[in-house]
Amino acid sequence: MADNARAKKLADLIREVVAQKLQRGVKDPRLGTHVTITDTRVTGDLREATVFYTVYGDDEDRASAAAGLESAKGVLRSAVGRAAGTKFTPTLTFVADALPENAKTIEDLLDKARASDAQVREVSSGAQYAGEADPYKKPGEEDDEDAAAE
């Protein structure tokens, strides 16, 4: 089993080689300039690599890019094998990165929270306290109230 540093170096190399090959070497029109390699992870035994990618476009573009990556998997793996010079070239698995969708969801939630905060601020701007301005009793005041009640 390889150490984590070697797996990390191989993952970085795979990310660079796949990105360069997609940009210059693969002539599939489905891939074009729409695909961005975001991350790569390699298992501890260096046998399997997961390549995360994003696609600029709509769902149809994402589906066609996924099909293009599947068809170019052999070419990309052989390019990785030449660049890595390892005994065994890891198998490549392409996974669409959910980062852009997650970021959009978080942005939408933050916008809702900002709108809610603004609404609460607007409603509370002219509000008055339900009781006194300072509802807490002071140590000296408690004795005065007890003496007045007797």
Side-chain angles (χ1 to χ4, degrees):
M1 186 166 204
D3 59 355
N4 287 339
R6 187 170 178 200
K8 176 75 172 133
K9 284 174 74 173
L10 183 60
D12 291 342
L13 177 73
I14 290 171
R15 186 179 69 239
E16 290 175 17
V17 168
V18 169
Q20 288 176 354
K21 192 71 174 171
L22 285 176
Q23 187 178 22
R24 296 190 188 113
V26 178
K27 305 248 187 286
D28 194 341
R30 297 176 289 186
L31 299 174
T33 59
H34 298 87
V35 178
T36 302
I37 304 300
T38 57
D39 192 21
T40 306
R41 294 186 186 143
V42 178
T43 58
D45 60 358
L46 306 179
R47 295 279 181 165
E48 298 175 15
T50 305
V51 180
F52 294 93
Y53 67 94
T54 60
V55 179
Y56 181 73
D58 57 0
D59 290 335
E60 184 179 321
D61 292 335
R62 288 185 192 101
S64 67
L69 286 170
E70 278 301 312
S71 69
K73 189 184 285 189
V75 173
L76 296 172
R77 184 172 181 222
S78 63
V80 167
R82 279 191 302 274
T86 57
K87 185 175 184 180
F88 181 81
T89 303
T91 58
L92 301 178
T93 304
F94 292 98
V95 177
D97 199 353
L99 184 67
E101 289 83 16
N102 290 344
K104 182 171 177 11
T105 303
I106 290 171
E107 282 297 319
D108 291 342
L109 291 173
L110 287 173
D111 288 341
K112 284 182 185 178
R114 285 185 198 105
S116 176
D117 287 349
Q119 183 181 10
V120 167
R121 204 174 306 115
E122 182 180 314
V123 168
S124 67
S125 64
Q128 298 291 327
Y129 289 106
E132 300 174 15
D134 187 11
Y136 300 105
K137 294 184 178 185
K138 310 281 188 293
E141 293 176 0
E142 188 175 306
D143 295 335
D144 294 340
E145 290 178 8
D146 288 341
E150 292 174 1

